């Protein structure tokens, strides 16, 4: 099968030397790309800036800002049968990217931010994606409720929910524990384990559920 996977954070520039970003390491997305490739699938990995080597046998597309990730997905998703959105895309970017480095003239500085493109939310309607769609939900409260809501709103077949308020799992950790949220309100918990082991389990689950 052909997989398209997004991974890592995005960087939203403020001026030539600064950007807004988040703590995503890209480990979960890269582990998924490796696991899918090892299971014999074709993988395109669209990655924000991370400190990880490109997995063997995977077609890499490197991007920085949310807008570039959006365009990279838009131009490649039609040929995928499974799309997994594990990137921690910035939800907002500075309205203005200053041409020159911003100087510390004022005592306070107010940044005006605007929404970035919702890539997962564009998959079904805007991109017309008909394949198996997987989103992630990183939440600090009401994990299952928020994940089920995301599943329905964005037309996903599966949302992988993780509680990022728990120490030692999720963002920038080697391990993760997740709950799979499926249509019809069904859930399945996968216990804490390395992201590598979890990725193998997730790829097995996904390939069994693709119609
Ligand atoms: N995502 C995306 N493009 C964005 C933001 C998020 O593709 N601009 C994807 C992530 O890769 C992940 C999922 O959407 O698969 C996370 O959804 P998120 O934006 O956190 O959920 P929402 O419910 O839309 O919003 P909120 O931030 O309010 O939770």
């Amino acid at each position: 099968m052909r997989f398209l996977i997004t991974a890592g954070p995005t960087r939203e520039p403020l001026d030539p030397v600064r950007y807004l970003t988040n703590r995503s390491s890209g480990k979960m997305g890269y582990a998924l790309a490796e696991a899918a490739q090892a299971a014999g699938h074709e993988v395109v990995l669209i990655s924000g800036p991370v400190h990880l080597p490109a997995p063997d046998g995977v077609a890499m597309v490197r991007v920085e800002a949310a807008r570039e990730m959006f365009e990279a997905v838009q131009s490649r998703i039609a040929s995928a049968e499974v799309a997994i959105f594990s990137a921690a895309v910035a939800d907002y970017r500075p309205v203005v990217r200053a041409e020159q480095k911003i100087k510390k003239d004022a005592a306070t500085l107010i940044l005006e931010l605007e929404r970035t493109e919702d890539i997962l939310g564009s998959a079904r309607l805007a991109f017309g994606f008909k394949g198996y769609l997987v989103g992630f939900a990183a939440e600090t409260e009401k994990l299952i409720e928020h994940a089920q809501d995301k599943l329905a709103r964005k037309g996903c077949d599966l949302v992988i929910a993780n509680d990022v308020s728990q120490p030692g799992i999720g963002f920038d950790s080697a391990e993760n524990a997740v709950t799979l949220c499926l249509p019809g309100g069904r859930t399945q918990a996968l216990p804490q384990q390395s992201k590598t082991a979890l990725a193998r389990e997730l790829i097995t689950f996904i390939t069994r559920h693709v119609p």
Side-chain angles (χ1 to χ4, degrees):
M1 259 181 298
R2 291 184 298 269
F3 279 66
L4 177 145
I5 300 174
T6 71
T10 63
R11 281 181 184 169
E12 309 305 322
L14 199 54
D15 72 11
V17 297
R18 304 183 178 99
Y19 49 77
L20 300 181
T21 191
N22 59 62
R23 288 172 48 199
S24 167
S25 63
K27 282 177 198 152
M28 194 66 242
Y30 276 59
L32 285 164
E34 268 171 26
Q37 196 276 339
H41 303 293
E42 252 179 64
V43 182
V44 174
L45 177 59
I46 300 175
S47 174
V50 297
H51 301 284
L52 295 171
D56 285 340
V58 163
M60 287 290 304
V61 181
R62 293 180 201 276
V63 297
E64 292 230 340
R67 193 193 307 273
E68 287 173 72
M69 187 173 278
F70 176 87
E71 286 165 3
V73 171
Q74 185 175 32
S75 62
R76 290 171 180 84
I77 197 167
S79 52
E81 287 147 304
V82 178
I84 308 177
F85 291 86
S86 67
V89 184
D91 287 323
Y92 291 90
R93 69 174 149 247
V95 171
V96 176
R97 177 195 184 279
E99 291 263 326
Q100 306 300 334
K101 185 183 163 197
I102 299 168
K103 303 301 284 180
K104 52 182 175 304
D105 299 330
T108 60
L109 175 69
I110 295 174
L111 289 178
E112 194 182 352
L113 305 177
E114 64 185 10
R115 287 285 304 272
T116 56
E117 297 76 9
D118 182 354
I119 310 172
L120 175 63
S122 303
R124 292 294 187 212
L125 281 178
F127 303 158
F129 180 63
K130 303 266 190 313
Y132 193 84
L133 184 62
V134 184
F136 271 76
E139 305 288 350
T140 55
E141 55 165 7
K142 299 182 187 155
L143 180 66
I144 304 304
E145 198 181 312
H146 283 146
Q148 290 288 2
D149 175 59
K150 197 164 299 180
L151 180 94
R153 268 189 298 122
K154 305 202 173 175
C156 296
D157 296 295
L158 166 66
V159 167
I160 301 166
N162 68 318
D163 181 350
V164 286
S165 68
Q166 299 283 322
I169 60 167
F171 273 112
D172 206 13
S173 305
E175 299 201 333
N176 209 354
V178 299
T179 301
L180 307 185
C181 295
L182 298 149
R186 287 171 297 141
T187 60
Q188 185 179 327
L190 301 182
Q192 182 168 345
Q193 54 193 307
S194 73
K195 286 184 176 174
T196 314
L198 185 61
R200 278 192 219 114
E201 244 190 90
L202 289 168
I203 295 299
T204 305
F205 181 95
I206 290 166
T207 46
R208 277 202 196 126
H209 285 75
V210 175

